[in-house]
Amino acid sequence: MKKIIVNEYGSVDVLQEVVALKPVPGEKDVLIKVAAIGVNDPDIVMRKYGPFPTMPAEFRPTLPHMLGGDFSGIVEQVGAEVTKFQVGDHVMGYTKRGTYAQYIVLDQDDSLSQVPDQLDLIPLGGLYLTALTA
């Protein structure tokens, strides 16, 4: 799969497309094929300047780092103990682990919501953080 990372902070030129292994879901995890992501102010500031001096240690990324928080997509695989989602579910959500990738893995109890199949996933990819902000 492909994902976009930063190895240093700066202009958009620091964004690098790399090939990585597709993540494997754990027992309570959901593997999501990403349809769309949001690019929000925190992503731009982090890419440009790095972590804020006042950012709590548990939120400080180390390089290389994958940006992104909100996303939409389709569940491709679920762990053996997943009860809230099934393969084929359309979902949207938010994670601090990065979303600039073709696939991401989240715990079923993370900020992850099923959405009706008839909704367009593209605009939903950038909705989560803006909705929380509003």
Side-chain angles (χ1 to χ4, degrees):
M1 74 158 196
K2 295 178 184 176
K3 67 180 185 177
I4 296 176
I5 63 168
V6 294
N7 279 309
E8 60 183 309
Y9 302 112
S11 72
V12 294
D13 296 330
V14 302
L15 296 170
Q16 297 179 342
E17 182 180 286
V18 297
V19 175
L21 295 174
K22 185 196 274 189
V24 177
E27 296 295 309
K28 295 182 180 182
D29 293 338
V30 177
L31 174 67
I32 300 159
K33 181 174 177 47
V34 175
I37 62 169
V39 178
N40 297 295
D41 286 343
D43 303 314
I44 296 166
V45 171
M46 182 67 70
R47 186 248 320 140
K48 199 169 188 180
Y49 303 110
F52 296 76
T54 57
M55 184 178 281
E58 64 269 18
F59 298 128
R60 287 177 178 264
T62 57
L63 294 173
H65 174 63
M66 183 169 59
L67 299 168
D70 44 8
F71 66 90
S72 64
I74 300 174
V75 174
E76 186 168 284
Q77 186 179 350
V78 296
E81 296 179 27
V82 172
T83 58
K84 297 180 180 180
F85 301 95
Q86 58 188 3
V87 172
D89 283 348
H90 289 212
V91 294
M92 63 180 282
Y94 185 84
T95 180
K96 292 183 175 109
R97 291 183 236 151
T99 58
Y100 288 22
Q102 292 178 306
Y103 294 90
I104 57 174
V105 168
L106 273 77
D107 183 287
Q108 70 173 346
D109 293 323
D110 286 347
S111 296
L112 184 61
S113 303
Q114 186 175 356
V115 298
D117 291 353
Q118 65 269 28
L119 291 180
D120 185 354
L121 289 173
I122 303 305
L124 293 177
L127 182 63
Y128 211 89
L129 184 59
T130 54
L132 288 174
T133 303

